[in-house]
Amino acid sequence: MKKLAGRVLFLTALCWMQFFAAEAQSRLVTDKQILQLSGRVVAGDSLTELEGVAVYVPGTTRGTHTRKSGYFSMPVVAGDTVVFAALGFEKLYMTIPANIKESSLTLNIILEERLNTLPTVDVMPWATEYDLKQAVLRTKLPADPSEQIPVIPPPVVYKSITDMPAMDADANFRYGQQQQQGQREARFRVPDILKVFSIPIKYY
């Protein structure tokens, strides 16, 4: 009986502690000014409205996206850091003043474009390294060094698949990796033809 009474007393004390902790946390939140943040997000030229820009407070569930006109509206707390992020634009961080007294704040946000530089890719007229080696071996150098060196002949176009050289270990490995990658991507790819009541419907 004493053990049961001790357990009940312990559970009661634990419930009261949780209640006081939640009450203290809610007081900390309500002590800060809550305001409605709204505005318009445009590109660097100040003329193009940006749709689909993510507007959010990191570490919280408060966030939204801009509409077609670039307009957004969401509640924030004084002292929050609001992030504006969109693909192809630099992220913009804005901190709400902690001592703000207004109940609403309207801003005009300008996002600067971000240039993504891609690495240089050299495109060769030969499909594989083997074809390049064969083309170099077929090149006939002139006997007289003063003569102009001929250009390497173009790659051989095989008329039949049986005439093609056998794949080496590296080519076979790359082919297997490509097949596995294609299978992995196919699992998440949305089909372009859906069947409704056994009737194929193709959408674009």
Side-chain angles (χ1 to χ4, degrees), residues 192-203:
D192 57 350
I193 297 179
L194 298 177
K195 288 187 177 180
V196 179
F197 301 110
S198 300
I199 302 173
I201 298 177
K202 188 172 184 179
Y203 63 94

Side-chain angles (χ1 to χ4, degrees), residues 5-197:
R7 289 180 181 177
V8 171
L9 183 61
F10 174 74
L11 292 175
T12 305
L14 185 61
C15 291
W16 276 107
M17 288 173 62
Q18 291 180 351
F19 172 76
F20 285 128
E23 185 70 18
Q25 186 175 6
S26 64
R27 284 182 181 179
L28 286 175
V29 173
T30 54
D31 287 344
K32 294 183 179 180
Q33 176 69 17
I34 300 176
L35 63 150
Q36 191 71 18
L37 177 65
S38 59
R40 182 168 163 264
V41 181
V42 296
D45 56 2
S46 301
L47 298 175
T48 307
E49 297 89 356
L50 297 179
E51 179 186 5
V53 178
V55 185
Y56 63 95
V57 178
T60 67
T61 57
R62 298 193 302 274
T64 184
H65 287 83
T66 57
R67 301 175 186 172
K68 193 172 183 179
S69 60
Y71 178 80
F72 71 94
S73 181
M74 60 176 287
V76 294
V77 178
D80 279 348
T81 298
V82 184
V83 181
F84 299 85
L87 185 64
F89 293 88
E90 296 287 347
K91 268 187 181 180
L92 181 65
Y93 296 85
M94 189 198 68
T95 303
I96 307 298
N99 56 354
I100 191 169
K101 300 300 181 183
E102 290 81 3
S103 60
S104 63
L105 182 62
T106 304
L107 300 172
N108 190 26
I109 305 298
I110 300 176
L111 295 184
E112 297 295 334
E113 292 188 11
R114 179 178 56 194
L115 298 177
N116 296 324
T117 305
L118 298 178
T120 304
V121 178
D122 297 328
V123 180
M124 304 293 291
W126 297 276
T128 62
E129 185 180 354
Y130 176 83
D131 293 336
L132 173 61
K133 291 179 180 179
Q134 293 300 316
V136 172
L137 291 175
R138 290 197 310 272
T139 304
K140 296 180 180 179
L141 298 177
D144 188 2
S146 62
E147 297 181 11
Q148 186 178 2
I149 299 177
V151 181
I152 298 176
V156 177
V157 178
Y158 298 100
K159 296 182 179 180
S160 174
I161 193 172
T162 58
D163 297 336
M164 297 178 62
M167 286 193 300
D168 56 359
D170 291 336
N172 196 3
F173 173 76
R174 287 194 299 269
Y175 178 76
Q177 292 285 35
Q178 292 175 359
Q179 294 297 318
Q180 291 182 2
Q181 180 70 20
Q183 292 175 1
R184 285 194 295 267
E185 293 177 355
R187 289 187 298 178
F188 302 102
R189 189 180 301 120
V190 178
D192 57 350
I193 297 179
L194 298 177
K195 288 187 177 180
V196 179
F197 301 110

